[in-house]
Amino acid sequence: MLKMIGITAVLLSSVMFGFYLTRKLRRHIEILSSLREIMLTFKREISYRMTPMSDLFGMCSDLSVSEFTGCISDGLQKGRSLGESVKAAEENTNCMSELTGTERAFVLQTLSDLGGTDVESQISMLENAVQTVDEFINIAKENKAKNSKVYFTMSLYIGIAIAIIFI
Amino acid sequence: MTDSTKYILDCFGEKLSLAAAPYIRDLTEIRIRADRPVVIYIKNRPYAVLSDTTVSPLNKLPENPLIISANELKTAFAHMCEYSVYKHQNDINSGFITVRGGHRIGLCGTAVILNNEIKTVSELTSLNIRIAAEYLGCADEFFKLTDFENGVLICGVPCSGKTTLLRDIARQLTVMYFHKVSVIDERLEISSMYRGRTPFDLGLSDIYCGYPKLSAIIQSIRTMSPDYIVCDELTGSDAQGVLSAVNFGVKLLASVHCDSVKNAVKNPSIMKLLKTGAFQKVVFLDELIPCKIKEIYDPEDLKCLK
């Protein structure tokens, strides 16, 4: 009986680990998609309503990076520069840690450069950023398709192997 | 008001902030020129800011001035616009923006022209930050000396306190004389409206922000039934709006740029405004003491002088 419980525990934890790894890949795509959504919202708001930057960052409360954007909005409202606010948000929240080094550098640089020019320049800047984020999303999706099954199966097999060794 | 002034100073870095901090309540202007010494005006007197975070009266160019680079100026400008430069584009094309606290920033740089119109200003080289002030009660003298029951035109040089005076006139008219007042604030100078709130006390005035003067006057007359319309910096082209107000029996309290009676009679815009019959008094402000009335004339006297 004890052996059965042990085997079930080992198998469950290995399956959970597999889920955790695939979830990380999903979360990665989710964050990139939220950033894309943010950029499109910014583009729309800037072109039609000229919403101020601190309000723009405060508007993204329903997205998975809301903690990060909320932190930037707070920083701007406290009178900090955009660069400082973005940096502080990166340090104080963990959204950006899910991204790769290149993705993180691009996103942080893009956000820090916002708001310094006229409407047309802002829109073209955001359109270019959306294109780049699209490329990141495609790569992340390919990566997920390639790896999620591998992670899940591998962790299951490792679990079975451990269980067999214990028996 | 000092918080917003501090915010502006902070945008230019710690040194300027430290140097100006002891005088923050008396600051009237901050002049930043790219790669040139920073000059601040304390009670309308110029002082150079030194790199050791002190200030010295501007008798000669200092040896160790605080210098703001073109790049720092550009970054500070974006910071003062709260990273929403796009929101101020029309104002930038008109040469100034109004920021948090109602301070007005005059801009100087290279104009980008498209179809004979200024599309934007690139390469900012100079900023003139005029610190907004509010002196409650500065219009007491105005109410004592003028027949404000009829229209009054206030003339003065820049920094003579025209806008500050109009602000207090609007406030007193609504809270002390209980009149209905519409403030027409095309360039956000009177109310300095920021995110739907004004940092100044304008009493119970109805404030039209950013509307062209003519549209605002007509809309105000039709919808807000004002007893008085207060507006800043009229020009000859606003005469039609002024005339509309006169025809509807609304009194106008307005200001124009002009330094003396001599120049007023030579100024076709002022004479055009006076011809509308909207103004029963013309008030000239003192050049040295802000909001102080120097002379009061009847429009007829000016017409005779002409």
Side-chain angles (χ1 to χ4, degrees), chain A residues 51-55 79 81-82 115 117-118 120, chain B residues 7 79 82-87 89 100 119 195:
Chain A
T51 313
M53 200 49 73
S54 60
D55 291 359
S81 76
L82 185 56
T117 51
D118 61 358
E120 286 166 26
Chain B
Y7 172 75
H79 197 162
E82 298 184 31
Y83 299 92
S84 310
V85 172
Y86 50 85
K87 199 174 187 304
Q89 197 55 51
R100 186 192 286 199
K119 191 173 175 283
R195 297 194 179 183

Side-chain angles (χ1 to χ4, degrees), chain B residues 82-279:
Chain B
E82 298 184 31
Y83 299 92
S84 310
V85 172
Y86 50 85
K87 199 174 187 304
H88 297 281
Q89 197 55 51
N90 285 340
D91 292 341
I92 290 170
N93 296 348
S94 314
F96 76 96
I97 61 163
T98 307
V99 293
R100 186 192 286 199
H103 311 301
R104 238 177 77 185
I105 304 176
L107 314 169
C108 187
T110 309
V112 179
I113 307 284
L114 190 75
N115 299 330
N116 289 329
E117 277 184 14
I118 299 176
K119 191 173 175 283
T120 187
V121 179
S122 68
E123 292 152 23
L124 284 174
T125 49
S126 300
L127 301 179
N128 174 26
I129 303 157
R130 283 177 64 179
I131 304 297
E134 180 176 47
Y135 299 113
L136 297 180
C138 69
D140 292 349
E141 188 190 27
F142 173 88
F143 285 107
K144 261 186 226 158
L145 299 178
T146 61
D147 175 18
F148 67 93
E149 292 295 331
N150 294 304
V152 179
L153 187 64
I154 299 165
C155 306
V157 294
C159 294
S160 58
K162 297 185 293 293
T163 311
T164 313
L165 184 62
L166 281 176
R167 224 175 263 146
D168 200 46
I169 288 172
R171 181 185 70 86
Q172 294 207 27
L173 276 175
T174 56
V175 298
M176 294 171 84
Y177 298 93
F178 307 104
H179 287 297
K180 290 178 281 181
V181 174
S182 285
V183 173
I184 312 294
D185 196 9
E186 186 177 358
R187 289 158 46 121
L188 307 185
E189 289 171 282
I190 305 179
S191 67
S192 300
M193 194 68 80
Y194 179 80
R195 297 194 179 183
R197 285 184 188 173
T198 166
F200 303 117
D201 184 0
L202 285 167
L204 304 175
S205 308
D206 305 308
I207 307 163
Y208 284 80
C209 282
Y211 290 68
K213 282 192 189 82
L214 180 59
S215 312
I217 289 173
I218 291 170
Q219 283 199 29
S220 158
I221 293 167
R222 283 184 184 157
T223 59
M224 306 308 283
S225 65
D227 299 321
Y228 287 87
I229 286 178
V230 172
C231 60
D232 208 4
E233 293 187 15
L234 287 182
T235 60
S237 58
D238 300 316
Q240 199 194 331
V242 171
L243 207 55
S244 309
V246 176
N247 291 339
F248 281 92
V250 180
K251 284 143 267 181
L252 244 109
L253 302 169
S255 71
V256 287
H257 275 300
C258 184
D259 61 344
S260 61
V261 187
K262 202 174 121 189
N263 286 333
V265 294
K266 282 186 206 159
N267 187 326
S269 291
I270 295 178
M271 297 318 285
K272 198 174 170 186
L273 290 169
L274 293 179
K275 265 186 198 162
T276 60
F279 306 103

Side-chain angles (χ1 to χ4, degrees), chain B residues 12 29-39 41 58 66-70 73 124-128:
Chain B
F12 291 96
E29 273 185 18
I30 304 164
R31 284 184 174 264
I32 315 279
R33 298 172 181 97
D35 302 316
R36 310 293 303 161
V38 175
V39 177
Y41 283 70
L58 192 66
L66 175 68
I67 305 271
I68 303 279
S69 71
L73 190 144
L124 284 174
T125 49
S126 300
L127 301 179
N128 174 26

Side-chain angles (χ1 to χ4, degrees), chain B residues 44-62:
Chain B
N44 279 330
R45 289 178 190 281
Y47 290 81
V49 180
L50 308 181
S51 56
D52 59 1
T53 70
T54 57
V55 298
S56 77
L58 192 66
N59 306 322
K60 57 172 185 168
L61 277 180

